[in-house]
Amino acid sequence: MKYLTTLVSLFLSSSFLLAQITFSPNIIDNTQSTANAANTVTTGDFDGDGDIDVIGGAYQSDYFSIYRNDGNGNFTRSTIDNGATADGARFATTFDLDEDGDLDILATSSNADAYLWYENDGSGLFTPHVIDNSSFANEAYSIGAADFDDDGDMDIVGGANAGDALVVYANDGNENFLILNVLSVGDNRTNGVRVAKVADVNEDTYPDIVVAAFAGDTFSWYENDGNGVFTPHTIDDSVNANGATAIDVADLDGDGDMDIAAGSNNADQFLWYENDGSENFTTHIIDNTSSFSIGPRGLSLVDLEQDGDMDIITAAITGDAFAWYENDGSGVFTGAVINNDLTYSDGAFAITSADIDGDLVADIVTAANISDAFSWFKTEGVIILEVGANTLEGIKVYPNPVYDTLNVKLPADLSEVEISIFDNFGKILWQYQSDRLGTLRVDLSHFASGIYYMKVSSSEGIITKKIIKK
């Protein structure tokens, strides 16, 4: 006990470097009937009013709910589904599956053995569709979407825990789905799939799939040839992947290739895999000594302090803690707690980020399985470089809100300009780098409705602009 206390004290002392950033807790829902065994959260502007709403899934309540934001972080709940298809509501993610300009929900229900699509009418009212409820969805756990076969529409990948299944479903163009490829062949890479994450790992423009297999103790990735034909590659099947349960993908060390952040539940550790540029991965342990790494369950990436690199936010179900790990830009991480008050974090299960209160700073959104709570934590102490009488004030974006084309006016005395547009998850969606100034025209017609952020970096400094896409 003395040894554990010392380790925790050392971990807490490291957080003094991060003390300027704090997190204020707010309950979204902790009602037993709708949040019992809160398992998943995802965010987006689902009703088109310009602020960020929250979707929550509660495993024991058998509920998927939408929590509508009034713009200030006050939420009103409405039911999306509490019928047979929501039995064992497990996971939800945000995606414009039918590409009609609003955000839909992809979801899994583990007791219903179902992969689901909730179609948004644009106002936050949803129509449920079952993608698959066959044996391939036995204890469905994870779901994602991309155009895997390069035919212009969005396909689905599903991962099932009890089914030991990883399956890609092809879209016929009208959101009817047929099996394109069964990727599970009975090996450890798909033994107990907990996460199937879509990412272009080798940056060849074709979407690949990264997998965490809990029972198989394996992290792996499936390389897409552009036609929906996949080649499996093992990332790690050592003791470091014991109880593989969480993954996310981004360039973590600033060298231009895609690395992988991960959590291993039975190894009690968060770690990351460094890509050498040829998809050979080197293991780096982030944390396996603090209480915040006991029982990793959720993990997400976000540039929390807006310094240009991706930090890691985590949920540890046994440690009952939400934490974050600050990246120094080279893949060296320093940890600090977000919250370990059992009111909000007992059985910490899922974590994501979004600007809940419209202050241009990413807040934290969580689900805690034993607290039966969906919560959000206001992030305070992040410095937004958008003030001062200098050249950066001459940068203008218009119209805002925007429907199709965004104009970006750059003053003539800027130099070494780099522009990035990213979503609420910190994912970069568009980049521009040039010395050509004046007014740029950026086509946002293919972006879903919602809130985005534009970061303009130059020799004169950095400025962030909030963009509302209608």
Side-chain angles (χ1 to χ4, degrees), residues 143-421:
I143 190 170
D147 184 4
F148 292 112
D149 54 8
D150 200 27
D151 65 351
D153 49 42
M154 292 297 132
D155 309 307
I156 295 291
V157 59
N161 184 53
D164 299 329
L166 183 69
V167 180
V168 176
Y169 301 88
N171 187 345
D172 69 356
N174 294 303
E175 289 66 59
N176 302 304
F177 295 92
L178 298 173
I179 292 174
L180 174 66
N181 206 328
V182 177
L183 302 180
S184 44
V185 292
D187 64 16
N188 283 339
R189 284 177 289 218
T190 56
N191 187 2
V193 176
R194 290 293 180 89
V195 181
K197 183 83 174 181
V198 177
D200 184 7
V201 175
N202 56 353
E203 298 183 277
D204 62 355
T205 74
Y206 302 128
D208 308 306
I209 304 166
V210 186
V211 178
F214 181 83
D217 302 323
T218 303
F219 296 109
S220 60
W221 74 285
Y222 287 75
E223 180 181 4
N224 185 3
D225 71 352
N227 298 303
V229 177
F230 294 84
T231 302
H233 305 274
T234 297
I235 297 169
D236 190 4
D237 58 0
S238 74
V239 293
N240 286 321
N242 189 5
T245 194
I247 46 175
D248 208 347
V249 182
D251 180 7
L252 296 177
D253 54 3
D255 64 355
D257 51 44
M258 302 304 286
D259 309 302
I260 295 170
S264 300
N265 184 83
N266 296 339
D268 293 328
Q269 65 184 8
F270 293 105
L271 62 165
W272 74 280
Y273 296 97
E274 179 183 1
N275 187 350
D276 68 355
S278 299
E279 291 67 63
N280 303 303
F281 293 93
T282 301
T283 305
H284 299 276
I285 304 301
I286 295 171
D287 184 12
N288 61 1
T289 59
S290 79
S291 60
F292 310 133
S293 69
I294 301 175
R297 186 55 60 100
L299 178 151
S300 186
L301 298 175
V302 59
D303 183 4
L304 191 61
E305 77 276 47
Q306 300 191 24
D307 62 352
D309 52 50
M310 300 303 289
D311 309 303
I312 303 174
I313 54 177
T314 61
I317 189 171
T318 309
D320 300 321
F322 299 108
W324 76 287
Y325 296 87
E326 182 190 17
N327 189 353
D328 72 353
S330 66
V332 176
F333 293 90
T334 303
V337 66
I338 293 171
N339 186 271
N340 58 355
D341 180 337
L342 296 184
T343 301
Y344 309 93
S345 66
D346 196 1
F349 205 93
I351 189 166
T352 190
S353 60
D355 180 10
I356 295 298
D357 53 1
D359 63 355
L360 297 179
V361 174
D363 303 303
I364 307 299
V365 185
T366 63
N369 187 276
I370 300 174
S371 295
D372 301 327
F374 299 111
S375 306
W376 76 277
F377 299 87
K378 179 176 174 59
T379 305
E380 298 175 290
V382 175
I383 299 173
I384 304 295
L385 299 176
E386 196 170 1
V387 295
N390 55 40
T391 302
L392 296 176
E393 291 186 340
I395 298 173
K396 306 295 182 184
V397 295
Y398 61 92
N400 194 13
V402 58
Y403 285 91
D404 296 311
T405 301
L406 182 72
N407 297 296
V408 183
K409 182 181 179 181
L410 300 172
D413 46 355
L414 283 181
S415 58
E416 299 181 17
V417 175
E418 180 176 302
I419 304 173
S420 302
I421 297 177

Side-chain angles (χ1 to χ4, degrees), residues 101-162:
D102 53 46
L103 293 176
D104 307 310
I105 303 164
L106 299 175
T108 63
S109 291
S110 287
N111 296 338
D113 300 326
Y115 300 121
L116 305 166
W117 165 44
Y118 293 100
E119 180 182 4
N120 189 355
D121 70 351
S123 67
L125 298 176
F126 296 90
T127 302
H129 303 272
V130 175
I131 294 169
D132 188 11
N133 58 357
S134 73
S135 60
F136 289 123
N138 187 2
E139 199 183 351
Y141 232 90
S142 184
I143 190 170
D147 184 4
F148 292 112
D149 54 8
D150 200 27
D151 65 351
D153 49 42
M154 292 297 132
D155 309 307
I156 295 291
V157 59
N161 184 53

Side-chain angles (χ1 to χ4, degrees), residues 24-90:
S24 301
N26 304 270
I27 290 290
I28 297 173
D29 184 10
N30 60 356
T31 304
Q32 187 77 4
S33 60
T34 54
N36 190 359
N39 254 225
T40 185
V41 282
T42 189
T43 62
D45 181 9
F46 297 100
D47 52 10
D49 64 353
D51 52 44
I52 297 298
D53 310 305
V54 173
I55 304 297
Y59 178 78
Q60 293 289 356
S61 295
D62 304 325
Y63 260 87
F64 286 111
S65 300
I66 178 172
Y67 299 92
R68 298 175 188 268
N69 189 354
D70 69 356
N72 297 307
N74 303 304
F75 292 91
T76 301
R77 195 198 70 83
S78 299
T79 299
I80 295 172
D81 189 2
N82 65 337
T85 48
D87 188 6
R90 176 67 73 183

